[in-house]
Amino acid sequence: MSTSKPIWQQLAKTKVYFGAGSAKRLPELLGSRKTLLVTTRGTVTRGTIDALFEGGNTGRLELFDQVKPNPSLDDFEGGALELRDGDYECIVAVGGGSVIDTAKCFSVLLYSVNSLSDLIDDSDLMLSTKTIPVIAVPTTSGSGSEVTPFATVWDYAQKKKLSLAADSILPESAIVDPALTLSLPLRETLSSGLDAISHAFESVWNMNATPATTAIATHALKLGLSSIAEVATRPDDLDIRSAMSKASLVGGIAISHTRTAFAHSASYPLTIHFGVDHGFACSIFLPAILKFNSVGDDGRLSKLANDLGHRDLPALRRYLDELLSALNLQKFLSSFDLSPNRLSALEGEMITPLRADNNMRKIKPDDVKTIVFDTSEMLQRLQIR
Ligand SMILES: [Fe+2]
């Protein structure tokens, strides 16, 4: 790692409240502010919102419960148009990454006269745009969006994944209450958990990594890798849910500094063309990228393998293969056509600027072919193809 970079940068200015029962703080954090609560219809139906405000004052609270998975430019702008006259002083997001990212986009769009595309393209415009404070209450353990200054925006017309990025959309507070994840179905539990694990790996094998971010990401990996198989068999175990929530939070802090890298870059066409769950789409590339990055390792990956309890990098790669196999991903991925031909056809779209170039080893088009080939082989072994 280069010594010309700062060894530390203030990573998260978000006030984080963590622990089972911490969600009870929400009414107190809102105070008397006029608040827009952003969530999904399902979260409301399951009673999560009522439980959060049990006995608390909901007098200045208005509800937007129309968040869709992987929301688009049109979803954000259409929603904001309906809400523009609300004069909100705070936005609360209760849900997964898509909900928190929607709240972040609303926090900008409810004030701004500019389009979301313009704000994404022009960082100076974002700097001069006022935002509404966001309080994030994640109900999944994976996106880390509660502590990142990014919001994912899907452009289905252009078949592109975009990112709104600015310190001003970093949430004011995050309440990470693992008890809220107890009712998360297995598919979302595993997909979001693998997203958190992907964030942590991508933060380590990243051009922007520093000793501090690597230490944080390694901590996230220790928590996530030791818990994800267990959470599948014991979803009601609050200690395991807590470990997953912490892995997600800590992984989010790591990528808020480094951003993600090639696994995310390669995953986007799988999500935009086929609808593959984000965490699954990222994680299937991890073993092949680990192998690719092992060539010319500057020592950080060998250290990571040792820190995670493995003798060397090949042992860590075998472990990753076995973990993905133990999670029975074929159950969730068999409905998608991830055949070698289909994956190869997407190679040209897998290099996303500002993500692929973060990888510690430069990735050329031929390298994408190799990574896709190795990934296809693994998918065949896992009987996903
Ligand atoms: Fe992610």
Side-chain angles (χ1 to χ4, degrees), residues 8-273:
W8 182 258
Q9 167 181 326
Q10 195 62 32
L11 295 181
K13 289 179 287 179
T14 306
K15 290 188 191 75
V16 180
Y17 301 89
F18 186 92
S22 57
K24 288 191 172 32
R25 297 194 69 123
L26 181 57
E28 172 199 328
L29 289 182
L30 296 181
S32 59
R33 290 183 284 185
K34 185 177 181 191
T35 299
L36 175 68
L37 195 153
V38 175
T39 189
T40 62
R41 190 72 222 132
T43 307
V44 176
T45 312
R46 284 192 292 276
T48 308
I49 304 300
D50 284 346
L52 283 177
F53 289 94
E54 209 170 37
N57 180 14
T58 56
R60 302 204 73 207
L61 197 66
E62 290 182 10
L63 183 67
F64 178 88
D65 63 1
Q66 300 300 312
V67 178
K68 297 177 189 162
N70 302 325
S72 67
L73 278 168
D74 292 345
D75 293 329
F76 291 129
E77 291 191 335
L81 205 60
E82 279 177 38
L83 299 163
R84 193 154 278 158
D85 298 328
D87 292 325
Y88 303 109
E89 298 163 281
C90 181
I91 301 179
V92 175
V94 181
S98 294
V99 169
I100 299 172
D101 288 356
T102 299
K104 289 173 175 175
C105 289
F106 283 174
S107 84
V108 180
L109 290 172
L110 294 188
Y111 269 138
S112 176
V113 293
N114 296 295
S115 72
L116 190 52
S117 306
D118 287 345
L119 291 161
I120 288 169
D121 291 340
D122 186 343
S123 52
D124 288 340
L125 198 58
M126 258 312 287
L127 273 178
S128 61
T129 302
K130 206 174 155 193
T131 55
I132 302 171
V134 170
I135 297 178
V137 186
T139 58
T140 65
S141 44
S143 76
S145 182
E146 66 272 16
V147 285
T148 69
F150 320 125
T152 293
V153 179
W154 297 92
D155 181 344
Y156 292 100
Q158 305 284 328
K159 300 276 184 236
K160 271 189 187 165
K161 177 261 179 194
L162 309 171
S163 184
L164 181 69
D167 284 354
S168 58
I169 60 168
L170 191 67
E172 168 190 276
S173 303
I175 305 180
V176 184
D177 186 338
L180 296 178
T181 68
L182 285 168
S183 58
L184 194 63
L186 182 61
R187 182 180 195 113
E188 286 78 6
T189 297
L190 293 184
S191 174
S192 60
L194 287 169
D195 188 23
I197 287 169
S198 302
H199 291 161
F201 272 117
E202 299 250 86
S203 185
V204 175
W205 59 52
N206 199 298
M207 291 286 285
N208 304 314
T210 69
T213 57
T214 300
I216 291 168
T218 302
H219 182 51
L221 282 171
K222 284 180 183 169
L223 288 165
L225 292 170
S226 62
S227 310
I228 193 158
E230 279 191 85
V231 80
T233 52
R234 287 154 51 205
D236 299 330
D237 188 317
L238 191 54
D239 288 340
I240 298 171
R241 289 286 188 182
S242 294
M244 288 307 302
S245 290
K246 200 170 276 179
S248 169
L249 169 69
V250 175
I253 292 172
I255 58 160
S256 74
H257 179 78
T258 60
R259 298 198 172 196
T260 55
F262 188 66
H264 273 68
S265 176
S267 79
Y268 299 138
L270 272 59
T271 298
I272 207 149
H273 287 280

